[in-house]
Amino acid sequence: LGPVAVLVALTIASELFDIRLFSQSRVSVTVAAIVAAGTISGLQGASIVALTAAAVDYAAHRKPVYKAVFNAAALVLSGAVYVGVFEYFPVGNDGTEWRQLIFPALAGVLANFVVNSALVGVVISLDKGSSVADVFQRNFMPLLPFYTVLGVLAAIVASAYESDGVAAMIIALAPVVMMAPTFLALAVIP
């Protein structure tokens, strides 16, 4: 079982048990799997996990096809941005020491956050007639600390995999799994 397969399994579980934090969106820890796959396997890994997330989300939650296609595109694009920023740094995908990976992973995950939030935020603002800034402030800014943690975890997961294989990677993913109850505690009842 390879690292991308493990991240696909995490993605499936994450999407099946995602949480409705805001009236216009659902939140899962799938971004952790996408950026970890991007850190380990580059664009191919990030795309596989992102497309899996969109497919499972579509299957689990009734929504129009155009929304599912948009979500798939937004996840793949923001995953590609993560990979592009991450690989811009000299360490790229060749590093095994998490301290070498942390800055590129943080820069990449913040770029991922900006792209994904901007894409989804524009759509929500158009749908609701709100300003993009208001939607971003209300729906996305509270998630920035989680994205920062996910960047650190992506570096740790990649380092664990490169150093000790899939079993170590699974152990390193435990904090990601434990973030789901944190999201649930923040959930807003619509």
Side-chain angles (χ1 to χ4, degrees), residues 94-114:
D94 298 326
T96 58
E97 178 64 36
W98 73 270
R99 288 182 292 266
Q100 292 176 321
L101 301 175
I102 198 155
F103 185 75
L106 281 172
V109 82
L110 291 175
N112 173 289
F113 172 78
V114 168

Side-chain angles (χ1 to χ4, degrees), residues 21-183:
L21 279 184
F22 309 107
S23 62
Q24 291 297 307
S25 61
R26 303 183 70 81
V27 176
S28 70
V29 293
T30 296
V31 70
I34 293 170
V35 299
T39 305
I40 294 167
S41 301
L43 183 57
Q44 182 180 13
S47 296
I48 289 168
V49 174
L51 291 171
T52 299
V56 173
D57 180 55
Y58 176 72
H61 309 289
R62 297 191 185 273
K63 63 177 60 179
V65 173
Y66 73 91
K67 285 187 176 185
V69 171
F70 174 82
N71 289 343
L75 289 174
V76 170
L77 183 59
S78 58
V81 166
Y82 170 84
V83 171
V85 170
F86 181 82
E87 289 182 350
Y88 175 78
F89 292 90
V91 68
N93 293 76
D94 298 326
T96 58
E97 178 64 36
W98 73 270
R99 288 182 292 266
Q100 292 176 321
L101 301 175
I102 198 155
F103 185 75
L106 281 172
V109 82
L110 291 175
N112 173 289
F113 172 78
V114 168
V115 169
N116 192 281
S117 299
L119 291 169
V120 177
V122 166
V123 170
I124 292 172
S125 71
L126 290 172
D127 184 49
K128 293 298 175 189
S130 303
S131 73
V132 175
D134 185 47
V135 170
F136 185 78
Q137 185 67 32
R138 190 178 52 236
N139 289 14
F140 297 103
M141 280 307 293
L143 300 176
L144 185 56
F146 291 105
Y147 271 75
T148 304
V149 169
L150 295 177
V152 173
L153 288 172
I156 292 169
V157 167
S159 179
Y161 170 72
E162 293 296 334
S163 298
D164 296 309
V166 172
M169 184 183 98
I170 292 170
I171 292 168
L173 284 168
V176 174
V177 173
M178 292 186 303
M179 286 180 81
T182 303
F183 281 138

